[in-house]
Amino acid sequence: MSTPTKFLLDESKMPTHWYNIQADLPKPAPAVLHPGTLQPVGPDDLAPLFPMELILQEVSTEREIPIPEPVREVFRLWRPSPLFRAHRLEKLLGTPAKIYYKYEGVSPAGSHKPNTAVPQAWYNAQAGIKKLTTETGAGQWGSSLAFAGALFGIDVTVFQVRVSYDQKPYRRALMETYGARCIASPSNETNSGRAILEKNPNHPGSLGIAISEAVEIAATHDDTKYALGSVLNHVLMHQTIIGQEAIAQLEMAGDDPDVIVGCTGGGSNFAGIAFPFIGQQLRGGKKRRIVAVEPAACPSLTRGKYAYDFGDTGHLTPLTKMHTLGSTFTPPGFHAGGLRYHGMAPLVSHLKELGLIEAVAYHQTQCFQAGVSFARAEGIVPAPEANHAVLGAIEEAMRCKREGKAETILFNLCGHGHFDMSAYISYASGQLVDQPYDESELAMALAGLPSVPA
Ligand SMILES: *Cc1c(COP(=O)(O)O)cnc(C)c1O
């Protein structure tokens, strides 16, 4: 091949700062509200859950926030991550488009999640915190925080959504290998878990419920704080190291993307690749199309309501304005567990409202089909979540083919699927079905949204 396939940044070029898009927004995102008073929450309201450094990052409007050196030192285990040009996929599709992908599966946990798990654990350790609680769906976030906790001497307790706990024993084994304790949610260890189990002892669980359990433990124990793997402003900001590296790597390649694609569960890997590029545009740079791809079975951005809602099912969190399917909505048990969340990051939702990003939704079988084609052409087996981004990029490449346009497409390959091979087995044996979400359950969940005066 005449042009290079792999673009590697030198360690010395790894970003020194996170990019905070709140500095460049044409209009600030709506305030986070206290559910009781409906007044904006202040740093003190969040102090039982998070260390002050992270709370300050959450509300900061500084454009650049330095990455602490001990955090960068851990990042050097796998960062800068590679950028690839997908020559063989381009050829397979017969597209005039150039396709690039940033590969985050090189991290120890196999996804982008350690990019925020490591700084979150570090800031907590700096604040003298000894225990962290969290939730996990498929187990990507739980294993990332377990890894980060092991590095900085923090005990990690993970509430894992019941269906995933049963279906994915290897992710649980990974968490336990890193030293974390893993509990199936809903559990008997919290009031919110017990309340759910009383109504339905066989409840499959959901991210919303697992968040309630983890938050409840942190809120009621002085030595324990809570860590969230997506959705929050500071989490999205930690992921911007992805897009900053991609900007430098595409410069090496002599290219500039016209379209950027990412999958969205809570919105963090999408924000990670897209926000640095959107920031360039907001400061007067090139306008690009930015496409968020979500599962058709849990379509918060494309079918949800932009409204104030709780982040959890037990209603322990503050209210944020976001695209939501309702905090009591239980998404069907499709295979991209990391995308089964009822809401969307407030910053991603805000950008959607401002018309700065687009969103599409695809069913899981077509995503797996795209993932298998990608694996056969490029060698990497994507995580089921990442298959949504793969399909989004392929759809863009096929549009370029129809329109005869040689556009440049960049997508985030946010993780590998080595722990998700049971999903690939289901796909290969024809057992994967496309589950539409339940319209009546969605209507009920949306009817239950908290009422917040405009
Ligand atoms: C957790 C996860 C997601 C979804 O979370 P975002 O915050 O939307 O990025 C997507 N892909 C992978 C591989 C994940 O582990």
Side-chain angles (χ1 to χ4, degrees):
M1 302 212 169
S2 54
T3 43
T5 297
K6 190 160 73 184
F7 300 90
L8 297 176
L9 270 190
D10 191 79
E11 247 178 56
S12 64
K13 300 271 169 53
M14 194 172 74
T16 55
H17 292 71
W18 290 298
Y19 167 62
N20 181 9
I21 199 167
Q22 297 190 81
D24 291 322
L25 289 174
K27 183 177 146 195
V32 176
L33 303 182
H34 188 287
T37 63
L38 299 183
Q39 294 303 305
V41 297
D44 289 344
D45 293 314
L46 299 172
L49 295 185
F50 304 106
M52 198 43 77
E53 281 295 317
L54 290 176
I55 294 171
L56 294 177
Q57 289 183 5
E58 186 67 17
V59 297
S60 171
T61 51
E62 290 289 316
R63 181 173 292 128
E64 294 195 322
I65 295 187
I67 307 175
E69 191 44 43
V71 171
R72 294 183 79 237
E73 202 170 306
V74 177
F75 283 169
R76 287 191 193 97
L77 289 173
W78 73 94
R79 303 211 72 86
S81 68
L83 177 84
F84 291 96
R85 168 97 183 261
H87 289 293
R88 291 177 185 83
L89 180 65
E90 291 168 15
K91 204 166 152 206
L92 178 75
L93 301 174
T95 177
K98 296 182 201 172
I99 305 173
Y100 289 90
Y101 58 96
K102 180 76 166 152
Y103 184 42
E104 290 296 311
V106 291
S107 82
S111 76
H112 63 288
K113 295 229 168 66
N115 295 335
T116 184
V118 172
Q120 288 195 51
W122 186 79
Y123 285 114
N124 274 286
Q126 289 301 105
I129 296 304
K130 300 278 181 250
K131 294 183 191 170
L132 279 172
T133 60
T134 196
E135 72 292 327
T136 200
Q140 289 271 18
W141 170 242
S143 49
S144 300
L145 194 69
F147 155 64
L151 294 175
F152 301 118
I154 293 181
D155 281 345
V156 175
T157 301
V158 182
F159 288 91
Q160 182 170 24
V161 176
R162 168 106 251 165
V163 277
S164 302
Y165 184 93
D166 293 336
Q167 280 173 4
K168 309 210 164 177
Y170 297 121
R171 273 280 165 202
R172 192 197 329 154
L174 183 60
M175 291 184 242
E176 289 168 354
T177 300
Y178 286 133
R181 181 170 167 243
C182 190
I183 302 164
S185 166
S187 80
N188 272 315
E189 305 215 1
T190 65
N191 289 331
S192 23
R194 282 186 291 268
I196 304 267
L197 287 177
E198 241 161 62
K199 282 191 217 142
N200 179 2
N202 298 315
H203 198 290
S206 72
L207 276 175
I209 294 168
I211 293 174
S212 295
E213 295 208 85
V215 165
E216 183 181 322
I217 298 282
T220 51
H221 294 78
D222 281 345
D223 61 346
T224 307
K225 298 236 184 272
Y226 166 71
L228 186 60
S230 184
V231 176
L232 297 175
N233 301 344
H234 69 267
V235 178
L236 272 55
M237 188 184 71
H238 294 161
Q239 296 294 351
T240 60
I241 191 164
I242 302 172
Q244 292 183 67
E245 286 179 3
I247 287 173
Q249 287 163 312
L250 281 159
E251 256 167 42
M252 288 167 69
D255 256 321
D256 194 356
D258 301 293
V259 189
I260 297 168
V261 179
C263 69
T264 45
S268 74
N269 87 83
F270 170 78
I273 192 130
F275 281 11
F277 288 98
I278 299 174
Q280 289 183 332
Q281 176 184 330
L282 293 173
R283 297 190 301 277
K286 171 174 168 177
K287 181 164 168 42
R288 303 176 175 91
R289 285 184 50 236
I290 315 277
V291 183
V293 186
E294 63 181 8
C298 191
S300 53
L301 267 178
T302 52
R303 300 293 299 271
K305 203 166 159 182
Y306 186 55
Y308 273 102
D309 197 5
F310 290 95
D312 70 322
T313 306
H315 297 175
L316 304 176
T317 68
L319 297 173
T320 52
K321 196 158 185 188
M322 60 181 175
H323 290 88
T324 179
L325 299 168
S327 61
T328 56
F329 179 74
T330 304
F334 58 90
H335 277 282
L339 306 183
R340 291 180 70 235
Y341 183 61
H342 69 271
M344 183 47 61
L347 278 175
V348 172
S349 291
H350 185 55
L351 292 177
K352 175 87 176 3
E353 288 301 297
L354 292 174
L356 290 164
I357 63 167
E358 308 167 24
V360 290
Y362 295 128
H363 280 292
Q364 63 176 355
T365 48
Q366 47 178 165
C367 292
F368 272 90
Q369 189 181 3
V372 168
S373 301
F374 181 85
R376 291 177 187 177
E378 296 291 321
I380 298 171
V381 178
E385 294 84 1
N387 282 342
H388 292 72
V390 173
L391 178 58
I394 290 178
E395 290 290 327
E396 288 297 328
M398 296 312 283
R399 176 190 54 76
C400 287
K401 184 174 176 177
R402 286 192 305 275
E403 297 174 355
K405 285 187 179 154
E407 291 181 14
T408 298
I409 299 163
L410 167 67
F411 77 92
N412 196 24
L413 188 63
C414 48
H416 67 65
H418 296 177
F419 287 96
D420 304 286
M421 295 317 291
S422 64
Y424 279 88
I425 292 173
S426 301
Y427 171 71
S429 60
Q431 282 166 2
L432 218 58
V433 287
D434 288 334
Q435 283 157 307
Y437 56 89
D438 183 337
E439 289 276 1
S440 59
E441 201 206 328
L442 175 61
M444 227 163 65
L446 286 176
L449 285 179
S451 66
V452 176

